[in-house]
Amino acid sequence: MGMCCVLWVFGWSLPAGFIKSPLSQMKLIGDSAELHCEVIGNPIPEVQWWFVEGEEPAEIYTQLFDGARDDQVRINATYIHHATSTLYMSNLTLNDTGTYECRASNDPDRNDLRKTPKIKWIRSQANVLVFESE
């Protein structure tokens, strides 16, 4: 019996934790990029992708979704035993340079704007640098 099943049988909850974080990359204009994130927890955590622009304390966070940026962004996620999510970006431009953030949470109140979740979203960031070929 694996760890997932023992946790489930006894009804224990386990906060979200990263087992794979996205890795920063350097790419040329027109290339594609792939960022990968894997998270464990019980219940299985929800995973989101965000794009971060600007510098502290004035960053702007934009949530990315499958089909964003005129279909340039694809997100493929599976939630079996643990959460895996891959962000694919095709036909990169200079505007795609920036920080990409994988967020995860399994707090039942995580998306309720009226309540403060007991366990916040955990975050892992990677930088994508797009540059012109010489």
Side-chain angles (χ1 to χ4, degrees):
M1 193 186 290
M3 179 62 86
C4 68
C5 310
V6 172
L7 290 171
W8 182 80
V9 167
F10 294 107
W12 294 337
S13 63
L14 183 71
F18 289 108
I19 55 173
K20 239 182 215 169
S21 292
L23 296 175
S24 294
Q25 325 187 359
M26 295 173 69
K27 296 289 181 177
L28 292 172
I29 290 175
D31 281 353
S32 57
E34 189 175 300
L35 298 173
H36 192 66
C37 189
E38 291 190 32
V39 189
I40 58 169
N42 190 48
I44 295 172
E46 175 187 354
V47 175
Q48 297 178 350
W49 288 98
W50 293 73
F51 181 60
V52 188
E53 298 174 86
E55 301 290 325
E56 286 186 352
E59 305 106 324
I60 299 166
Y61 289 86
T62 307
Q63 187 171 359
L64 297 170
F65 55 90
D66 193 48
R69 296 180 181 168
D70 294 324
D71 254 6
Q72 179 206 15
V73 170
R74 307 302 309 177
I75 296 173
N76 184 13
T78 60
Y79 295 95
I80 305 162
H81 303 308
H82 71 293
T84 69
S85 185
T86 304
L87 174 77
Y88 301 95
M89 291 181 291
S90 57
N91 202 20
L92 293 169
T93 70
L94 295 176
N95 291 336
D96 297 316
T97 291
T99 302
Y100 291 81
E101 184 172 273
C102 175
R103 291 185 189 177
S105 179
N106 59 2
D107 188 296
D109 297 330
R110 65 185 175 272
N111 292 314
D112 189 334
L113 300 178
R114 296 161 303 174
K115 294 186 196 165
T116 304
K118 291 182 284 301
I119 301 164
K120 301 289 188 199
W121 291 81
I122 59 170
R123 304 172 179 204
S124 185
Q125 293 184 339
N127 295 315
V128 174
L129 177 61
V130 182
F131 57 98
E132 298 181 65
S133 56
E134 307 260 334

